Amino acid sequence: MQEAAGQFAIRVRDLVVGFHRHVVIDHLALDVRRGEILGLVGASGGGKSVLMRTIIGLIPRQEGEIEVMGAPINHERTTRSAAGRWGILFQQGALFSSLTVRQNIQFPLRENLVLSETLMDEIATAKLEMVGLKPDAADKLPSELSGGMIKRAALARALSLDPDILFLDEPTTGLDPIGAGEFDELIATLQRT
């Protein structure tokens, strides 16, 4: 049974999450295998973002168990150690508006590692290339980017620490059908590589 458990990136058992008396997630069980892409589809307000935020420790749960890469997510200390293993693209990108794209990508590096400026610049350039942005995007502020470029820049930031798991919260919302299709293909390509 332990060997089988190792095949899962995320395991959720009997999860209950709510706000005051309103239950949003009611005894959910979920397994996500390593290397798998899982998309959750549902009505607005159905709990998709609540589930992601609960898994990463931003929203407390009322009941249930969560494991990420075999480590239980129980309290702040466990969540902080597990957080280095995932990247997150929040709704609307959530880039820091006063930082350039390069600085946004470097933010997780500065918070978690001790690297030279040259190496951080190289990593930022590589991540921009991975998500299909040109190098000149690095010096732009988020306000100077299109919606699709914001999503790609936020994805580059989410990938900056080479995470084991990538959480994408409504990654194609606000994109036109062609842009959404291209973004979906980008995610599939990243998963394959």
Side-chain angles (χ1 to χ4, degrees):
M1 187 70 170
Q2 183 67 15
E3 186 176 326
Q7 68 182 319
F8 297 108
I10 299 170
R11 297 194 85 180
V12 176
R13 292 290 176 268
D14 209 25
L15 182 65
V16 177
V17 182
F19 303 98
H20 303 289
R21 294 183 179 183
H22 177 69
V23 175
V24 178
I25 298 172
D26 191 10
H27 298 279
L28 174 78
L30 173 72
D31 289 327
V32 181
R33 289 175 172 26
R34 293 175 188 257
E36 179 178 27
I37 294 177
L38 174 70
L40 298 177
V41 179
S44 179
K48 301 176 301 293
S49 295
V50 170
L51 174 60
M52 182 198 81
R53 290 179 179 162
T54 302
I55 291 170
I56 65 175
L58 294 179
I59 295 177
R61 63 185 181 264
Q62 294 168 340
E63 294 178 36
E65 298 176 10
I66 300 171
E67 286 183 8
V68 176
M69 302 303 285
I73 304 298
N74 291 327
H75 49 78
E76 185 178 336
R77 177 177 245 169
T78 304
T79 301
R80 287 180 151 251
S81 66
R85 303 185 75 179
W86 59 58
I88 306 165
L89 186 155
F90 289 103
Q91 291 181 26
Q92 288 87 40
L95 295 173
F96 297 109
S97 60
S98 62
L99 300 180
T100 65
V101 169
R102 178 189 330 276
Q103 292 166 329
N104 267 283
I105 296 168
Q106 292 173 343
F107 187 83
L109 301 171
R110 290 183 195 285
E111 289 293 308
N112 294 286
L113 305 171
V114 178
L115 302 173
S116 70
E117 288 296 319
T118 301
L119 183 53
M120 284 194 292
D121 286 345
E122 290 173 8
I123 292 170
T125 299
K127 299 307 176 185
L128 284 172
E129 186 176 312
M130 282 176 74
V131 301
L133 287 176
K134 294 182 180 175
D136 67 341
D139 297 317
K140 294 183 178 185
L141 292 170
S143 61
E144 300 173 295
L145 303 176
S146 69
M149 291 175 76
I150 287 172
K151 297 281 188 177
R152 288 173 185 263
L155 179 59
R157 181 180 63 191
L159 293 169
S160 65
L161 292 171
D162 295 324
D164 294 326
I165 299 174
L166 191 58
F167 291 97
L168 308 173
D169 192 1
E170 297 196 27
T172 58
T173 297
L175 300 179
D176 61 67
I178 293 172
E182 290 173 350
F183 198 89
D184 289 342
E185 184 55 38
L186 171 62
I187 296 302
T189 299
L190 289 171
Q191 187 263 350
R192 285 190 301 269
T193 58

